[in-house]
Amino acid sequence: MDSAKPFVSFDVNTYGSVENERKQRIAIIGAGVSGLAALKQCLADNLDPVCFEQDPAIGGLWRYVEVDEKNPDPHSSMYRSAIMNTSKEATCFSDFPIPTNWPTYLPHKLLQQYLESYAENFDLYSYIKLNTKVIKVSQLSDNRWKVKYQSNETITTTDTDINEEEFDYVIVCSGKERASWIPNYQGRDTFGGKQIHSHIYRDPKQFEDKRIVVVGTGNSGIEIASELSHFASQVYLCARDGRIPWVVPRRLLHGLPLDHSMTRISSYIPTKIKNIMFEGLLNKLSGSPPPEIKPKIPLHKSIISVCSEFRERLDTGTIIPKKNIRELKPNREIELIDGTTLEDIDAVIYATGYSMEFSFLENWTEIFNGGKDFVDDQGPDSKNWHAAWLYKMVFPPRYQNIAFIGFVFSTGAVLPVSEMQARYVTGLIIGEVKPLPSPEEMDKALSSQTDCPRLESPKHPLILTPITPYLDFLAKDIGCLPSPTKVFWHFGYKAWKNVLFGVPSAIQYRLFGRQTWAGALEWLDVHNGGTFAPI
């Protein structure tokens, strides 16, 4: 390829409008959920993709990998008992349903099997370079990208096995759970007990009859604490202020899966009203949390954790909530910020999240966050989040031929979000989606927080966004928005009812626009089990 004569000069004002003289070459980094969605969509839009995956198999986060001497820090953080927090109907890709005879909430092994079936069905394996580590992605003078990569099977101390290819566009799908982050507590280096990050937690056997402190109250912290409470002699759960977040069960009244109640019509109800309704429902199911640990942040501004057994473990005292750590001591004592001390602690498990970093991407802080560092409110040793500065949570304003897929913190499953983002990106590349605004306009939208739907929430590197409004937000530009009025006029009352009140599945987004799926209407008819219980 003659780099002096680039096929495309990506000007932000004409982006997506260039006539195709050949298939545009697309580099996709990662073959997890987001990478597979991007790869499938590139093929659907007649692009020329190459997907780089450093592991020997697809699946990313959902591929279970043992932690051992040969692999002490695997890419996946999946633990042995992990189960999805979203139902199969609300989780599946929009044109490839999860089998109806599978359980409502899939164990990680079944989701991995689903992803493998997806890759086989759409012939994705032919375009994936497994066991291939991307070493460096850098922009060329003509705005295209150079990708340096190396096979994990041939890595040496020399550069003889390093390969290079040039691409018109890069889609980063490497995942937001890459670099484990642990708070820099005083005494952490000399603490007498064991310390691990939840990233390498796999099963509770090694913690049997131990006294354990779990730090962090996100989904991982809540789930790991609940599992450990069946084996450990005592589990303490440390939160910043000693208060537990909103924790909800997987099923509601009458056994309705939690996300089946997040119907399309519920997205039209004002958030504060939904908050009152859902808090009332939670109190009816399990009673109001004790005042001393009840969240201060209203439900509609919170990041919700899903765990059906957590409240029971809390009520039985097998999990005891505590305030944050001040100091860890060599004699296995832990002093908390309220002055109390936990004694004889055998292990601390940090479910404290991940840092945003892309070591393979040259100048990544400028690209991902525009150089705008973000530090949370926990003091000088707190995590530097490198907050995303991405228009529509996908596009860096000043780098018009690179996109980030899967970096949204949504209230629902990641698969439909990644897929919709991929449809937007490839539609933009081939000119089927209107061009992005100027960098200045994108900056303005990001600064005013009007770039995409969002929830008010505590500081977080990724925008917390309600899933249906966000999907609709992208779908409108793509041309696949299933608006109730349009559904009624095209398919009639029954389809209208299914879309408005039924299971909130991504399959709704295959009724209209490019690349519709012939089975979408029938699937929605068969799975019309949604009951109006708006959240």
Side-chain angles (χ1 to χ4, degrees), residues 6-12 14-15 18 142-144 168 400-401:
F7 162 62
V8 175
S9 177
F10 283 94
D11 180 82
V12 73
T14 60
Y15 181 38
V18 181
D142 58 20
N143 287 335
R144 291 179 302 126
D168 302 300
Q400 57 266 43
N401 58 334

Side-chain angles (χ1 to χ4, degrees), residues 129-175:
K129 292 181 180 290
L130 296 173
N131 270 320
T132 302
K133 184 178 180 63
V134 172
I135 299 170
K136 187 177 182 180
V137 176
S138 54
Q139 195 166 36
L140 300 168
S141 59
D142 58 20
N143 287 335
R144 291 179 302 126
W145 297 89
K146 178 187 291 184
V147 176
K148 291 185 178 181
Y149 62 92
Q150 190 172 31
S151 170
N152 287 339
E153 297 174 346
T154 60
I155 289 179
T156 65
T157 56
T158 69
D159 293 337
T160 56
D161 297 317
I162 294 177
N163 300 285
E164 294 182 359
E165 292 189 44
E166 294 179 0
F167 294 88
D168 302 300
Y169 204 105
V170 170
I171 305 177
V172 179
C173 304
S174 54

Side-chain angles (χ1 to χ4, degrees), residues 35-83:
L36 294 176
L39 177 55
K40 185 259 185 183
Q41 192 58 42
C42 282
L43 295 173
D45 281 328
N46 200 33
L47 299 169
D48 181 17
V50 178
C51 182
F52 299 92
E53 172 53 54
Q54 66 181 2
D55 286 342
I58 67 168
L61 170 68
W62 288 98
R63 176 175 169 263
Y64 179 82
V65 179
E66 289 284 0
V67 175
D68 52 33
E69 292 182 0
K70 293 183 179 179
N71 197 2
D73 187 21
H75 174 64
S76 173
S77 58
M78 194 56 52
Y79 48 93
R80 192 180 301 278
S81 64
I83 298 173

Side-chain angles (χ1 to χ4, degrees), residues 248-469:
V248 301
R250 285 188 174 89
R251 291 186 180 271
L252 301 176
L253 294 173
H254 311 297
L256 182 72
L258 174 65
D259 53 20
H260 284 206
S261 66
M262 298 177 184
T263 55
R264 177 170 295 278
I265 198 169
S266 73
S267 66
Y268 303 146
I269 298 174
T271 304
K272 290 185 179 180
I273 294 177
K274 286 189 286 186
N275 179 62
I276 294 171
M277 295 172 68
F278 191 41
E279 279 195 38
L281 179 59
L282 285 181
N283 291 339
K284 192 172 183 178
L285 287 171
S286 56
S288 180
E292 65 273 13
I293 65 170
K294 185 175 181 178
K296 290 182 178 179
I297 302 172
L299 185 64
H300 65 282
K301 296 183 180 181
S302 297
I303 299 173
I304 295 174
S305 294
V306 179
C307 185
S308 295
E309 68 169 345
F310 175 76
R311 183 59 189 272
E312 176 187 324
R313 308 311 295 170
L314 204 63
D315 290 342
T316 59
T318 51
I319 296 175
I320 299 177
K322 292 290 183 180
K323 293 194 174 182
N324 205 359
I325 293 173
R326 172 177 291 155
E327 181 180 358
L328 297 95
K329 300 182 178 181
N331 62 354
R332 295 192 294 121
E333 288 185 354
I334 296 181
E335 182 182 343
L336 306 178
I337 59 173
D338 61 2
T340 60
T341 298
L342 304 178
E343 299 179 342
D344 300 321
I345 299 301
D346 296 293
V348 180
I349 300 175
Y350 297 100
T352 46
Y354 298 81
S355 295
M356 288 288 136
E357 65 176 54
F358 307 89
S359 57
F360 58 85
L361 181 59
E362 187 176 69
N363 201 28
W364 71 265
T365 56
E366 284 293 329
I367 297 173
F368 184 73
N369 71 343
K372 298 174 175 62
D373 287 349
F374 176 96
V375 180
D376 71 11
D377 57 0
Q378 300 303 302
D381 292 327
S382 61
K383 176 177 179 181
N384 189 328
W385 289 97
H386 291 296
W389 192 255
L390 303 174
Y391 184 67
K392 299 184 186 291
M393 283 306 297
V394 178
F395 305 102
R398 282 164 181 77
Y399 293 80
Q400 57 266 43
N401 58 334
I402 184 171
F404 293 79
I405 291 180
F407 294 88
V408 171
F409 204 98
S410 81
T411 58
V414 66
L415 279 72
V417 172
S418 294
E419 181 187 48
M420 190 67 75
Q421 290 178 327
R423 294 176 73 179
Y424 200 106
V425 170
T426 61
L428 195 62
I429 292 172
I430 66 173
E432 292 289 341
V433 172
K434 65 181 180 181
L436 298 177
S438 69
E440 292 74 22
E441 290 174 299
M442 287 189 271
D443 282 338
K444 183 178 180 180
L446 284 161
S447 297
S448 61
Q449 299 190 345
T450 59
D451 62 300
C452 71
R454 65 188 66 214
L455 296 176
E456 296 180 60
S457 65
K459 292 179 180 179
H460 196 279
L462 302 175
I463 293 170
L464 178 62
T465 180
I467 184 167
T468 298

